[in-house]
Amino acid sequence: MEELSDEQVETLRAQLVQLVAELEGALLTSAGSAAPVVLDQSSVGRLSRMDAMQQQAMAKATRQKAQLRLTQCKSALSSFDRGEYGLCRECEEPIGYPRLSAKPEAPFCLECQRAYDV
């Protein structure tokens, strides 16, 4: 893989900054949806309670994924300062612009990611 050009680096940094802002906003607005389910037991049936609990579980899972991605984005942004952005954390080879443009917070090249996922 080729190393990133200065223009690509700046484009990816801007993508990460925007993604951090979007994820922080999404986490802020979704905070209430993952709160414990409190239902008036006298007026809500069993199915409504189950539906509310399922929605809460989905909201929690979505928030956890967003929080993980936010952490990865912040880590990627800090790697710019160390001059390590775009290098695979496993093999230390360049990750490649196509992968980073699709997922700018990617810590691994495709080959190492595949090995990690197995």
Side-chain angles (χ1 to χ4, degrees):
M1 286 281 160
E2 291 181 25
E3 291 193 27
L4 300 172
S5 70
D6 290 343
E7 183 179 326
Q8 290 171 328
V9 168
E10 288 310 312
T11 298
L12 292 166
R13 183 192 303 259
Q15 280 182 296
L16 281 166
V17 168
Q18 180 179 353
L19 192 52
V20 165
E22 289 171 6
L23 288 166
E24 287 177 338
L27 285 167
L28 188 63
T29 59
S30 67
S33 62
V37 176
V38 178
L39 299 171
D40 177 7
Q41 300 297 325
S42 63
S43 64
V44 178
R46 185 176 132 224
L47 291 177
S48 295
R49 284 191 299 277
M50 289 173 54
D51 184 49
M53 289 170 33
Q54 183 180 25
Q55 287 178 8
Q56 177 207 27
M58 290 187 317
K60 278 185 173 180
T62 300
R63 285 181 53 79
Q64 286 174 340
K65 286 180 183 178
Q67 186 62 52
L68 174 62
R69 191 165 188 204
L70 178 61
T71 300
Q72 291 172 333
C73 287
K74 287 181 175 181
S75 176
L77 280 171
S78 69
S79 71
F80 279 98
D81 298 333
R82 297 186 308 270
E84 297 173 358
Y85 181 76
L87 297 177
C88 178
R89 288 189 189 164
E90 183 67 29
C91 68
E92 298 181 2
E93 292 294 320
I95 293 174
Y97 186 72
R99 175 158 169 74
L100 290 172
S101 63
K103 187 174 171 123
E105 72 277 15
F108 304 111
C109 67
L110 281 175
E111 189 173 319
C112 291
Q113 185 67 53
R114 284 188 193 111
Y116 182 75
D117 289 342
V118 172

